């Protein structure tokens, strides 16, 4: 327990509340106003979300602090590393879930940004990630292994992207199963604004992490992930016949 | 099959689209025998719930006959007659296990969208109610795919007619939960219900069933107020009298012990607050117009409950939080945990304690849905609740 608490505090302490550099402030402000205008002009339902996000970002730029970055689960430390973390509660015992994460070669089934993990020895492994500009690979080693409680790894010197990560399996109070916490740390050249922009644009690891954790939870609790893919709608124009349209105004 | 399609803000159509198919082993296909238009659908029509897409099939109040089941469906068989709750629940997550079915962790495939807007973890999916709530095709159609069929199919075995049990899918449980959330002390508490729409009607009757000493219903539409009076409630027409003054007087200056907001984000109203809401909602600076909620909070007695079945979507302005704090009010709200109420309320219907069909003013063919969306929205022709027959012929007027 003490190790978990200690690592949680140090993880958060290394993060800066997210003060923006002047250039970042301009970037976020422009993006925010752009989104707001898009939202107002679009008049469509989606505009509500974009408009809301846009005004929020513009306000952030005016204040010069970036609370949004925290809300989006992205933080940055002094060394310029981006920290991504998320957690999910799953209705299964910590041991059971740990057993699914420990064989590292299975990780790509859980974490969608991973293409492949090859186990080289008891502690060493070779990781391949799908990047926006092609695959990136590196060697990593397990830095902590506490069965049923915690698993941590870090890239070895020479890795293209310096990164590390840990997974914590904590019993949820009241027999609710396991609180599974994942923390990833990586170097991101574009800074906070870059991370926020990537997040809005849909390419940021924290989004993927969220999806990955929910998908894992649902696989564990239901045995599958519910979907609407392939359902009928009025969008398949080849098969749709307009019987009647009504402008209700 | 024919289905009612959202074609854009203020644009509803009837289209022939492909029949639904089983997509996952726990699905079933229901042939819809009756479906209704809900006040919640009006928020979609008017474009106030984000993330609708052109081509979405509308409708979340429907019932019918099971015509196909997936290999993992255990409790139902082809031919069963079922009512289907408007929310989709998995039945196994911690929330479902504790009866908080609308908070299901697992049934919204678009959970991330909801989490970005609302924080924490998304609630469950809903039929025909935007991509924020999962993007599931709705039941204002001849057939509908029902995921998690074992949870979503409640068998009706008695000889009750469709229109007597159809509202178990939403508005009866919704009104009932709203009243139950007030923790009414029988024979003592006075309950005020803002909004005499279908939800308000069921909330008022449920408050009576739960023993309220008096029930006061507030609206401005005469036939809706008249329907509430038929059940023995008192009424206030807020266009004829100042609702705050009237409620004070009717309750000896205390205010109602509990207030139910059965209006939601499209409340009409007058006064500076209402004007500001409308202007800001048009500019998309706020989502919600909250006149009814303001009246509810301001009129409520100390220590009372503000129960809100009415739907809200985003941010609100000029919320009298100080009044709520000063009076120590309790707020209860949210999508109804429909699954919790279907069996007990069905029992009440079977015993003859209530016949939910009292609320129906219009019966028509699905083909006439576009006109009826408009009629229902504008409260024209005495419209209170519309029930559609997906298999009815087009009306003669076409
Ligand atoms: N929580 C849930 O799960 C759930 C389920 C179903 C419906 N709803 C919501 O309940 C609300 C009511 O639904 P409905 O089907 O009865 O809709 P409805 O539109 O038929 O009824 C709303 C009524 O409110 C009245 N009204 C408007 N402004 C008012 C005001 N300021 N004071 C008093 N009355 C006012 C209208 O005249 C109308 O009669 C909607 O917001 C709907 O989305 C919620
Ligand atoms: Zn409804
Ligand atoms: Zn569930």
């Amino acid at each position: 327990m003490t190790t978990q608490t200690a690592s949680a505090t140090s993880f958060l302490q290394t993060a800066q509340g997210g003060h923006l550099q002047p250039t970042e402030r301009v970037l976020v402000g422009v993006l925010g106003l752009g989104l707001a205008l898009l939202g107002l002009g679009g008049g469509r339902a989606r505009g509500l979300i974009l408009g809301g996000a846009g005004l929020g970002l513009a306000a952030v730029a005016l204040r010069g602090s970036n609370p949004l970055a925290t809300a989006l689960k992205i933080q940055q430390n002094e060394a310029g590393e981006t920290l991504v973390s998320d957690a999910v509660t799953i209705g299964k015992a910590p041991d059971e879930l740990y057993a699914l994460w420990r064989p590292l070669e299975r990780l790509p089934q859980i974490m969608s940004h991973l293409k492949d993990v090859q186990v080289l020895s008891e502690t060493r492994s070779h990781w391949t990630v799908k990047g926006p500009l092609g695959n990136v690979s590196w060697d990593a080693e397990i830095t902590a292994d506490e069965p049923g409680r915690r698993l941590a790894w870090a890239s070895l010197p020479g890795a293209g992207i310096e990164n590390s990560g840990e997974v914590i399996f904590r019993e949820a109070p009241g027999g609710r199963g396991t609180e599974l916490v994942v923390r990833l740390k990586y170097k991101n050249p574009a800074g906070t604004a870059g991370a926020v922009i990537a997040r809005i644009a849909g390419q940021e690891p924290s989004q993927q992490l969220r999806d990955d954790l929910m998908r894992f939870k649902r696989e564990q609790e239901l045995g599958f992930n519910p979907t609407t893919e392939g359902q009928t709608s009025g969008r398949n124009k080849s098969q749709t016949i307009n019987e009647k349209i009504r402008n209700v105004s | 099959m024919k289905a009612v399609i959202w074609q854009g803000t203020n644009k509803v159509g009837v289209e022939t689209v492909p029949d639904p198919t089983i997509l996952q082993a726990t699905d079933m296909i229901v042939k819809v025998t009756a479906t209704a238009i809900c006040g919640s659908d009006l928020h979609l029509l008017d474009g106030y719930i984000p993330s609708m897409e052109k081509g979405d099939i509308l409708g979340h109040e429907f019932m019918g006959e099971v015509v196909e089941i997936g290999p993992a469906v255990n409790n139902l068989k082809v031919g069963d007659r079922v009512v289907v709750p408007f929310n989709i629940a998995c039945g196994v997550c911690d929330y479902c296990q504790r009866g908080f079915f609308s908070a299901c962790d697992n049934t919204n495939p678009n959970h991330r969208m909801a989490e970005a807007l609302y924080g924490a973890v998304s609630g469950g999916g809903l039929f025909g109610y935007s991509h924020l709530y999962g993007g599931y095709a709705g039941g204002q159609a001849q057939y509908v795919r029902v995921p998690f069929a074992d949870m979503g199919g409640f068998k009706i075995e008695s000889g009750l007619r469709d229109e007597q049990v159809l509202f178990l899918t939403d508005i009866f449980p919704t009104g009932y939960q709203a009243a139950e959330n007030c923790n009414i002390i029988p024979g003592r508490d006075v309950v005020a219900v803002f909004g005499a729409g279908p939800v308000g009607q069921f909330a008022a009757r449920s408050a009576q069933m739960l023993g309220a000493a008096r029930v006061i219903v507030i609206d401005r539409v005469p036939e809706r107020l008249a329907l509430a009076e038929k059940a023995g409630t008192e009424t206030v027409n807020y266009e004829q009298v100042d609702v705050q003054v009237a409620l004070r007087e009717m309750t000896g200056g205390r205010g109602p012990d509990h207030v139910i907001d059965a209006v939601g984000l499209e409340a009409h109203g007058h006064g500076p607050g209402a004007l500001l809401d409308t202007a800001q909602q048009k500019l998309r600076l706020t989502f919600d117009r909250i006149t009814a909620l303001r009246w509810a909070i301001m009129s409520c007695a100390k220590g009372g409950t503000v129960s809100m079945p009415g739907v809200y979507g985003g941010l609100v302005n000029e919320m009298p939080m100080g009044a709520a704090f000063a009076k120590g009010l309790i707020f209860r709200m949210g999508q109804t945990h429909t699954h919790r109420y279907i069996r007990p309320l069905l029992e009440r219907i079977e015993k003859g304690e209530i016949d939910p069909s009292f609320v129906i003013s219009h019966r028509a063919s699905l083909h006439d849905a576009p006109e009826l969306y408009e009629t229902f929205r504008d409260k024209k022709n005495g419209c209170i609740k519309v029930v559609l027959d997906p298999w009815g012929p087009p009306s003669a007027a076409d």
Side-chain angles (χ1 to χ4, degrees):
Chain A
M1 272 303 142
T2 31
T3 45
Q4 286 178 18
T5 324
S7 67
T9 340
S10 62
F11 179 81
L12 293 176
Q13 268 170 358
T14 52
Q16 296 269 293
H19 277 285
L20 298 181
Q21 300 303 311
T23 42
E24 286 183 300
R25 192 183 294 191
V26 172
L27 244 177
V28 173
V30 167
L31 180 77
L33 286 176
L35 286 173
L37 291 176
L38 200 69
L40 287 174
R44 283 200 39 190
R46 178 168 289 144
L48 282 177
I49 295 185
L50 287 179
L55 288 171
L57 279 177
V60 159
L62 290 176
R63 276 204 301 273
S65 67
N66 193 351
L68 199 62
T70 316
L72 296 175
K73 302 177 238 71
I74 302 164
Q75 301 185 67
Q76 208 171 26
N77 63 13
E78 274 166 350
E81 289 168 315
T82 298
L83 314 174
V84 178
S85 68
D86 210 338
V88 69
T89 300
I90 302 176
K92 285 208 166 169
D95 289 346
E96 272 181 89
L97 299 180
Y98 167 86
L100 296 169
W101 285 70
R102 181 59 186 85
L104 295 183
E105 68 274 9
R106 284 193 79 257
L107 278 194
Q109 290 171 36
I110 302 175
M111 311 248 265
S112 55
H113 70 289
L114 295 177
K115 192 170 179 331
D116 184 56
V117 176
Q118 279 170 26
V119 175
L120 306 173
S121 74
E122 190 49 28
T123 56
R124 287 211 168 192
S125 48
H126 183 74
W127 299 48
T128 306
V129 163
K130 301 170 230 169
L133 305 169
N135 293 343
V136 188
S137 297
W138 64 83
D139 283 344
E141 83 181 337
I142 289 183
T143 54
D145 183 4
E146 302 163 37
R149 290 177 50 190
R150 178 165 172 257
L151 187 62
W153 61 86
S155 61
L156 290 167
I161 301 175
E162 257 181 78
N163 70 93
S164 60
E166 68 174 326
V167 193
I168 290 163
F169 307 87
R170 197 163 57 204
E171 203 175 306
R176 277 181 275 184
T178 302
E179 297 173 358
L180 190 146
V181 182
V182 177
R183 298 177 178 143
L184 306 172
K185 203 192 297 187
Y186 66 100
K187 282 226 157 129
N188 182 329
T192 313
V196 170
I197 289 165
R199 167 66 167 80
I200 300 278
Q203 288 157 1
E204 170 60 39
S206 81
Q207 266 197 10
Q208 263 180 13
L209 180 59
R210 183 78 208 138
D211 284 348
D212 290 346
L213 291 185
M214 285 303 278
R215 199 180 51 247
F216 181 63
K217 169 189 168 75
R218 289 170 177 181
E219 264 157 23
Q220 293 312 306
E221 293 188 352
L222 305 175
F224 66 98
N225 268 267
T227 184
T228 57
E229 247 175 78
Q231 75 177 353
T232 180
S233 80
R235 280 183 287 278
N236 187 343
K237 281 305 157 199
S238 62
Q239 294 179 61
T240 297
I241 302 162
N242 239 316
E243 303 264 333
K244 186 186 248 183
I245 307 181
R246 178 94 172 181
N247 276 303
V248 184
S249 51
Chain B
M1 68 162 181
K2 291 196 198 324
V4 180
I5 305 288
W6 191 88
Q7 297 179 328
T9 298
N10 291 327
K11 212 165 163 195
V12 176
V14 177
E15 295 182 7
T16 299
V17 300
D19 287 353
T21 50
I22 300 261
L23 299 177
Q24 299 187 288
T26 48
D27 291 356
M28 68 173 164
I29 305 294
V30 169
K31 178 182 177 188
V32 180
T33 53
T35 177
I37 307 177
C38 177
S40 299
D41 294 326
L42 298 177
H43 307 322
L44 303 178
L45 178 73
D46 297 341
Y48 290 124
I49 301 290
S51 79
M52 287 298 289
E53 284 176 23
K54 285 181 189 163
D56 285 346
I57 301 176
L58 291 166
H60 59 266
E61 299 181 2
F62 59 88
M63 62 177 296
E65 185 194 323
V66 179
V67 291
E68 199 182 338
I69 55 171
V73 176
N74 300 316
N75 303 339
L76 295 165
K77 55 181 192 319
V78 169
D80 282 345
R81 182 180 180 221
V82 290
V83 293
V84 180
F86 74 96
N87 1 50
I88 300 167
C90 80
V92 305
C93 74
D94 181 59
Y95 288 93
C96 286
Q97 291 283 312
R98 289 183 302 130
F100 294 95
F101 297 100
S102 74
C104 176
D105 267 345
N106 288 331
T107 56
N108 185 355
N110 303 328
H111 59 90
R112 190 149 43 64
M113 208 190 273
E115 288 164 11
L117 266 182
Y118 300 141
V121 181
S122 162
L126 308 178
F127 288 101
Y129 213 71
S130 86
H131 292 262
L132 193 60
Y133 282 109
Y136 289 97
Q140 286 166 9
Q142 291 180 316
Y143 295 95
V144 61
R145 165 194 174 230
V146 176
F148 297 94
D150 280 335
M151 286 299 295
F154 285 78
K155 268 191 253 186
I156 303 291
E157 279 152 325
S158 51
L160 294 164
R161 286 172 293 122
D162 277 8
E163 53 182 51
Q164 292 176 293
V165 291
L166 174 61
F167 303 136
L168 288 170
T169 60
D170 180 352
I171 52 172
F172 186 12
T174 295
Y176 190 87
Q177 178 177 294
E180 195 182 65
N181 276 343
C182 293
N183 286 317
I184 296 165
I185 300 176
R188 175 187 182 278
D189 286 354
V190 179
V191 178
V193 180
F194 290 81
V199 171
Q201 300 287 343
F202 280 106
R205 286 175 200 235
S206 301
Q208 290 176 324
M209 287 179 192
L210 293 169
R214 285 165 66 197
V215 177
I216 306 167
V217 178
I218 300 108
D219 205 304
R220 64 167 179 180
V221 182
E223 61 274 14
R224 292 181 173 217
L225 291 173
L227 184 63
E229 277 167 17
K230 262 201 197 162
T233 72
E234 298 157 69
T235 59
V236 173
N237 185 327
Y238 66 81
E239 285 199 326
Q240 287 167 7
V241 297
D242 182 316
V243 61
Q244 307 281 5
V245 174
L247 286 174
R248 273 180 79 85
E249 202 183 292
M250 292 166 91
T251 57
R254 299 184 311 275
D257 296 296
H258 310 287
V259 292
I260 295 176
D261 170 4
V263 179
L265 65 91
E266 292 189 70
H268 343 104
H270 31 250
L275 277 176
L276 193 68
D277 283 350
T278 307
Q280 298 201 358
Q281 200 177 37
K282 285 233 152 61
L283 284 170
R284 300 292 194 242
L285 289 174
T286 189
F287 288 71
D288 302 338
R289 303 197 300 259
I290 64 161
T291 314
L293 180 58
R294 275 190 206 108
W295 287 347
I297 293 171
M298 294 309 290
S299 61
C300 190
K302 286 177 290 188
T305 312
V306 181
S307 170
M308 302 160 56
V311 164
Y312 290 89
L315 309 172
V316 299
N317 291 306
E318 317 293 320
M319 167 95 168
M321 198 51 93
F325 182 86
K327 293 192 281 185
L329 303 184
I330 301 160
F331 282 75
R332 305 291 304 270
M333 63 191 90
Q335 302 285 357
T336 306
H337 304 299
T338 317
H339 300 67
R340 208 193 264 176
Y341 298 100
I342 292 193
R343 289 205 178 88
L345 294 183
L346 175 61
E347 235 168 72
R348 286 186 189 263
I349 300 171
E350 282 168 346
K351 280 195 215 141
E353 284 174 40
I354 184 168
D355 178 352
S357 66
F358 78 90
V359 83
I360 302 171
S361 59
H362 287 63
R363 296 170 176 84
S365 157
L366 184 87
H367 199 263
D368 298 322
E371 288 92 317
L372 286 162
Y373 262 85
E374 184 175 345
T375 308
F376 177 51
R377 185 196 60 188
D378 299 339
K379 281 78 185 151
K380 289 190 295 203
N381 306 335
C383 188
I384 298 177
K385 187 75 181 177
V386 179
V387 175
L388 302 168
D389 174 2
W391 302 92
S395 65
D398 291 306

